[in-house]
Coordinates of all heavy atoms in Angstrom, one line a residue:
K212 N -34.9 22.7 -41.1 CA -36.2 23.3 -40.9 C -37.2 22.2 -40.9 O -37.3 21.4 -41.9 CB -36.5 24.4 -41.9 CG -37.9 25.1 -41.7 CD -37.8 26.0 -40.6 CE -39.1 26.9 -40.5 NZ -39.1 27.8 -39.4
C213 N -38.1 22.1 -39.9 CA -39.1 21.1 -39.8 C -40.4 21.6 -40.6 O -41.3 22.0 -40.0 CB -39.4 20.7 -38.4 SG -40.5 19.3 -38.2
D214 N -40.3 21.5 -41.9 CA -41.5 21.9 -42.7 C -41.8 20.7 -43.7 O -41.3 19.6 -43.5 CB -41.2 23.2 -43.4 CG -39.9 23.2 -44.2 OD1 -39.4 22.1 -44.5 OD2 -39.4 24.3 -44.6
E215 N -42.5 21.1 -44.8 CA -42.9 20.0 -45.7 C -41.7 19.4 -46.4 O -41.7 18.3 -47.0 CB -43.8 20.6 -46.8 CG -43.3 21.7 -47.6 CD -43.4 23.0 -47.0 OE1 -43.9 23.1 -45.8 OE2 -42.9 24.0 -47.6
R216 N -40.5 20.1 -46.4 CA -39.3 19.6 -47.1 C -38.5 18.7 -46.1 O -37.6 18.0 -46.6 CB -38.4 20.7 -47.6 CG -39.1 21.5 -48.7 CD -38.2 22.7 -49.1 NE -38.2 23.7 -48.0 CZ -37.5 24.8 -48.0 NH1 -36.8 25.2 -49.1 NH2 -37.6 25.6 -46.9
F217 N -38.9 18.7 -44.9 CA -38.1 17.9 -43.9 C -38.5 16.4 -44.1 O -39.7 16.0 -44.0 CB -38.5 18.3 -42.5 CG -37.6 17.6 -41.4 CD1 -36.4 18.1 -41.1 CD2 -38.1 16.6 -40.7 CE1 -35.6 17.5 -40.1 CE2 -37.4 15.9 -39.7 CZ -36.1 16.4 -39.4
P218 N -37.5 15.5 -44.2 CA -37.8 14.1 -44.4 C -38.3 13.4 -43.2 O -37.7 13.5 -42.1 CB -36.5 13.5 -44.9 CG -35.4 14.4 -44.3 CD -36.0 15.8 -44.3
G219 N -39.4 12.8 -43.2 CA -40.0 12.1 -42.1 C -40.7 13.0 -41.2 O -40.9 14.2 -41.3
P220 N -41.3 12.4 -40.1 CA -42.1 13.2 -39.1 C -41.2 14.0 -38.2 O -40.0 13.8 -38.2 CB -42.8 12.1 -38.3 CG -41.9 10.9 -38.4 CD -41.3 10.9 -39.8
C221 N -41.8 14.9 -37.5 CA -41.1 15.7 -36.5 C -40.4 14.8 -35.5 O -41.0 14.0 -34.9 CB -42.0 16.7 -35.8 SG -41.3 17.7 -34.5
P222 N -39.1 15.0 -35.2 CA -38.4 14.2 -34.2 C -38.9 14.3 -32.8 O -38.7 13.4 -32.0 CB -36.9 14.6 -34.4 CG -36.8 15.3 -35.7 CD -38.1 15.9 -35.9
K223 N -39.5 15.5 -32.5 CA -40.0 15.7 -31.2 C -41.4 15.2 -31.0 O -41.8 14.5 -30.1 CB -39.9 17.2 -30.8 CG -38.5 17.8 -30.8 CD -38.5 19.2 -30.5 CE -37.1 19.8 -30.4 NZ -37.1 21.2 -30.1
K224 N -42.3 15.6 -31.9 CA -43.7 15.3 -31.8 C -43.9 13.9 -32.4 O -45.0 13.2 -32.1 CB -44.6 16.3 -32.6 CG -44.5 17.7 -32.1 CD -45.1 18.7 -33.0 CE -46.6 18.3 -33.3 NZ -47.2 19.3 -34.2
R225 N -43.0 13.4 -33.2 CA -43.1 12.1 -33.9 C -44.3 12.0 -34.8 O -44.7 10.9 -35.2 CB -43.1 11.0 -32.8 CG -41.9 10.9 -32.0 CD -41.9 9.6 -31.1 NE -40.7 9.5 -30.3 CZ -40.4 8.5 -29.5 NH1 -41.3 7.5 -29.3 NH2 -39.3 8.5 -28.9
T226 N -44.8 13.1 -35.2 CA -45.9 13.2 -36.2 C -46.0 14.6 -36.7 O -45.7 15.6 -36.0 CB -47.2 12.7 -35.5 OG1 -48.2 12.8 -36.6 CG2 -47.6 13.7 -34.4
G227 N -46.3 14.7 -38.0 CA -46.5 16.0 -38.6 C -45.2 16.8 -38.6 O -44.1 16.3 -38.5
K228 N -45.4 18.1 -38.7 CA -44.3 19.1 -38.8 C -44.5 20.2 -37.8 O -45.7 20.6 -37.6 CB -44.2 19.7 -40.2 CG -44.2 18.7 -41.4 CD -43.0 17.8 -41.3 CE -43.0 16.9 -42.6 NZ -41.8 16.0 -42.6
C229 N -43.4 20.6 -37.1 CA -43.6 21.6 -36.0 C -43.2 23.0 -36.5 O -43.5 24.0 -35.8 CB -42.8 21.2 -34.8 SG -41.0 21.3 -35.0
G230 N -42.5 23.1 -37.6 CA -42.1 24.4 -38.1 C -40.8 24.9 -37.5 O -40.3 26.0 -37.8
G231 N -40.2 24.2 -36.5 CA -39.0 24.6 -35.8 C -37.7 24.1 -36.5 O -37.8 23.6 -37.7
W232 N -36.6 24.3 -35.8 CA -35.3 23.8 -36.4 C -34.8 22.6 -35.5 O -34.9 22.7 -34.3 CB -34.3 25.0 -36.3 CG -34.6 26.1 -37.2 CD1 -35.4 27.2 -37.0 CD2 -34.2 26.2 -38.6 NE1 -35.5 28.0 -38.0 CE2 -34.8 27.4 -39.1 CE3 -33.4 25.5 -39.4 CZ2 -34.5 27.9 -40.4 CZ3 -33.2 25.9 -40.7 CH2 -33.7 27.1 -41.2
H233 N -34.3 21.6 -36.2 CA -33.8 20.4 -35.5 C -32.4 20.2 -35.8 O -32.0 20.3 -37.0 CB -34.6 19.2 -35.9 CG -36.1 19.3 -35.6 ND1 -36.5 19.6 -34.3 CD2 -37.2 19.1 -36.4 CE1 -37.9 19.6 -34.3 NE2 -38.3 19.3 -35.6
P234 N -31.5 20.0 -34.8 CA -30.1 19.9 -35.1 C -29.7 18.4 -35.5 O -30.3 17.4 -35.0 CB -29.5 20.2 -33.7 CG -30.5 19.8 -32.7 CD -31.8 20.0 -33.4
T235 N -28.7 18.3 -36.3 CA -28.0 17.1 -36.6 C -26.5 17.4 -36.5 O -26.1 18.5 -36.6 CB -28.4 16.5 -37.9 OG1 -28.0 17.5 -38.9 CG2 -29.8 16.2 -38.0
T236 N -25.7 16.4 -36.2 CA -24.3 16.6 -36.1 C -23.6 15.6 -37.0 O -24.1 14.5 -37.4 CB -23.8 16.4 -34.7 OG1 -24.0 15.0 -34.3 CG2 -24.6 17.3 -33.7

Side-chain angles (χ1 to χ4, degrees):
K212 183 73 171 179
C213 187
D214 53 17
E215 63 277 359
R216 293 172 295 180
F217 186 81
C221 174
K223 296 180 180 178
K224 298 169 57 179
R225 296 188 177 182
T226 181
K228 311 294 183 181
C229 69
W232 293 89
H233 300 308
T235 59
T236 66

